[in-house]
Amino acid sequence: MVVAGAAAGAYYATMPAPSPSPTTPKPSPTPTTPTPTTPPSPVTLELWTSFAGEKPQEEFFDSFRTAISKQYPHITLKATHYTGADFIPKLTAAMGAGSPPDIFVSYGGGQLKALADEGQTEDLTAFLNEAWAKAVVPESAKAAHTFRGKTFALPYELNTCWLLSNKKIFEKAGIPLPTKTWTWDEFKDVVKKFKDKGMYALTISGNVPRHMVYHLDYLIERIAGQDRFLKTLNRESGYSFTDAPFVDAFSKFKELVDAGAFFPGASAYKYADIMKSFGLGEAAMLCIYTWVIAPIMKDFPGTEIEILSYPVVSGGAGKDDISAYTLGMAVAKGSKNKAAALSVLKQFATKDVMIDYAKKTGNPISLNVDIPSGTLNPVSEKAERLAKASTSFVYRKETYMPPELGSKYGEVVSKVFFGQMKPDEAAAQLEAKAKELKDLKKLPM
């Protein structure tokens, strides 16, 4: 074919050029004025988060707002930050009133599912199946935000829960830090050793039930196991929250309270107070997610933090898994500026923005973006590395459950902590609420 093509080319090259035919001159085209491009109409987007009082997060969203105005001059992004306790009630009320924010933070799970079931949040499945999204959004990260095959939020941050440990407090007490998986009995022995020295093993936000439940998240999984928890939550026959493994989980939490594990003043502490409590060394450990690591290290630079896994319970059905979830960004169904909102989400997921997010907040991200080494602090880097090597995770139950059950969960845990309710009573109230939600067709999930 190459030879034939070359020959054909040579043949046509030797042919005489045809004589030009006389033509009638064409009139010169009339100059036209180009149609001016109409600039997009100005748009103001409302973005709501649950990060009130968290300076690193607030600083990031300030810079992101500026980046959006440069990329999209017609878009003004207005960020409003609520506390974690106020966020869901405020969001639910705004949705019900027909005046939702355009974009909002999503914890996934039952909270997002409830909004999706009510038609309050936009289906982002097609958006997240675009080529750019497939390149950066892992399928596994979507799981907490996906229901019945539809995805309702862009996942972006990976949070894991640990027993944060103040190494200097352990050294001061002469107690070695555990270096491997440890048992509940070993954990209680450490609690006693601190108590014997007039020190406290744990601090906790006693004024914020949604943070108190992290101990129960682990204890339920360590004792009952994930499979039993899911079957009980989804109302399978023969399973109840009043079963022995759940009562035992509440009992184990009460054991810590009765053993004097918690710093006494912590009963009145709010979210910011526990970071200060841990940073000041009022207690040696704090069961919480990685989002507090960067603020503690910034406000208390001398604090040396190590992350410990939550102890396993001998004879329990669970393993030494980590509690984790992905934070996401969702778009309200009632937004009048959905195209602009999706543009903001797409920009949010870019490499430069995610690196800036990790740098400012100190939090690991869940997207497939290479974060330069040293962007995160060493403790957060270790947590991210261990999490990404894990094959299964413990559920953050307060957000995974339907909102009404999650609220009841926090309430009964708080009452057990303050001695206002016995473990079996707490389990019974959780079961009663689950039955009520089944009758309302909000369970199974």
Side-chain angles (χ1 to χ4, degrees):
M1 293 295 293
V2 174
V3 174
Y11 173 79
Y12 285 113
T14 59
M15 291 182 67
S19 301
S21 301
T23 58
T24 303
K26 293 183 179 180
S28 300
T30 303
T32 58
T33 303
T35 304
T37 302
T38 304
S41 300
V43 170
T44 297
L45 294 179
E46 293 273 353
L47 185 155
W48 285 12
T49 83
S50 57
F51 306 136
E54 298 182 38
K55 291 180 181 179
Q57 296 276 6
E58 293 179 355
E59 288 173 3
F60 165 77
F61 281 101
D62 281 343
S63 65
F64 180 59
R65 185 176 67 244
T66 301
I68 286 296
S69 66
K70 290 180 180 178
Q71 182 72 19
Y72 302 102
H74 67 293
I75 297 177
T76 299
L77 187 64
K78 179 184 175 185
T80 301
H81 306 291
Y82 293 100
T83 64
D86 290 339
F87 177 68
I88 290 298
K90 292 280 188 183
L91 181 63
T92 303
M95 294 284 191
S99 55
D102 300 279
I103 304 169
F104 60 93
V105 165
S106 162
Y107 288 88
Q111 292 179 350
L112 183 62
K113 182 178 182 296
L115 294 175
D117 288 346
E118 294 168 3
Q120 298 281 21
T121 186
E122 187 72 10
D123 178 4
L124 301 184
T125 307
F127 175 69
L128 294 176
N129 277 331
E130 293 176 7
W132 70 268
K134 285 188 172 183
V136 298
V137 184
E139 287 299 317
S140 58
K142 297 180 187 177
H145 311 275
T146 300
F147 315 101
R148 299 179 300 278
K150 296 180 179 180
T151 305
F152 294 90
L154 165 71
Y156 68 92
E157 180 182 301
L158 174 63
N159 287 299
T160 51
C161 185
W162 307 85
L163 278 172
L164 301 190
S165 302
N166 189 322
K167 293 170 70 174
K168 289 184 178 179
I169 302 303
F170 271 84
E171 290 171 4
K172 182 180 177 180
I175 301 172
L177 274 168
T179 57
K180 58 182 181 180
T181 299
W182 53 336
T183 66
W184 182 254
D185 288 339
E186 290 170 333
F187 181 45
K188 283 178 60 182
D189 184 54
V190 167
V191 168
K192 183 178 184 302
K193 286 178 179 177
F194 275 112
K195 187 69 174 174
D196 290 345
K197 293 179 180 291
M199 302 167 73
Y200 295 93
L202 294 159
T203 188
I204 195 170
S205 52
N207 205 15
V208 187
R210 63 189 298 268
H211 289 165
M212 298 176 74
V213 299
Y214 302 149
H215 286 274
L216 263 296
D217 287 353
Y218 272 117
L219 286 168
I220 286 172
E221 295 266 351
R222 295 292 195 255
I223 299 169
Q226 189 175 99
D227 184 60
R228 189 183 190 107
F229 165 70
L230 291 174
K231 287 179 177 179
T232 305
L233 177 65
N234 289 310
R235 306 286 80 199
E236 290 196 21
S237 178
Y239 294 89
S240 169
F241 283 115
T242 59
D243 291 344
F246 296 102
V247 176
D248 192 20
F250 280 104
S251 297
K252 289 280 190 291
F253 181 57
K254 188 174 184 301
E255 283 180 16
L256 291 180
V257 178
D258 293 344
F262 297 98
F263 178 72
S267 59
Y269 283 170
K270 295 182 179 180
Y271 172 57
D273 299 323
I274 51 169
M275 291 189 284
K276 183 177 180 181
S277 174
F278 183 81
L280 291 174
E282 289 181 342
M285 292 176 284
L286 169 64
C287 184
I288 202 163
Y289 282 83
T290 42
W291 65 65
V292 304
I293 293 174
I296 290 173
M297 295 182 77
K298 180 180 179 181
D299 294 340
F300 303 93
T303 306
E304 295 181 23
I305 300 174
E306 183 57 270
I307 52 175
L308 302 177
S309 61
Y310 205 84
V312 296
V313 178
S314 299
K319 301 180 295 181
D320 186 25
D321 289 332
I322 305 164
S323 181
Y325 73 96
T326 55
L327 204 60
M329 283 287 179
V331 174
K333 190 79 170 178
S335 170
K336 296 178 175 60
N337 303 295
K338 290 177 188 173
L342 293 179
S343 294
V344 168
L345 259 62
K346 186 173 180 179
Q347 182 68 15
F348 186 73
T350 58
K351 180 176 180 178
D352 288 347
V353 172
M354 285 292 95
I355 290 175
D356 188 49
Y357 183 85
K359 185 181 297 183
K360 283 188 168 68
T361 66
N363 293 333
I365 63 169
S366 58
L367 300 180
N368 291 326
V369 173
D370 290 330
I371 301 297
S373 179
T375 301
L376 299 174
N377 63 72
V379 183
S380 296
E381 276 192 348
K382 179 179 179 180
E384 178 187 40
R385 184 175 67 254
L386 291 173
K388 289 185 175 180
S390 298
T391 56
S392 60
F393 294 96
V394 171
Y395 286 107
R396 183 183 176 186
K397 296 173 180 56
E398 181 256 348
T399 54
Y400 183 78
M401 297 171 174
E404 301 92 333
L405 190 59
S407 178
K408 175 61 70 174
Y409 178 52
E411 176 191 323
V412 298
V413 171
S414 177
K415 288 185 175 180
V416 170
F417 178 81
F418 285 105
Q420 299 165 352
M421 187 176 286
K422 296 177 181 178
D424 59 337
E425 294 171 337
Q429 287 209 12
L430 204 58
E431 175 63 19
K433 177 58 71 173
K435 286 180 177 178
E436 177 187 322
L437 293 178
K438 182 183 179 182
D439 292 341
L440 293 171
K441 302 189 185 305
K442 294 185 177 183
L443 281 176
M445 293 183 64

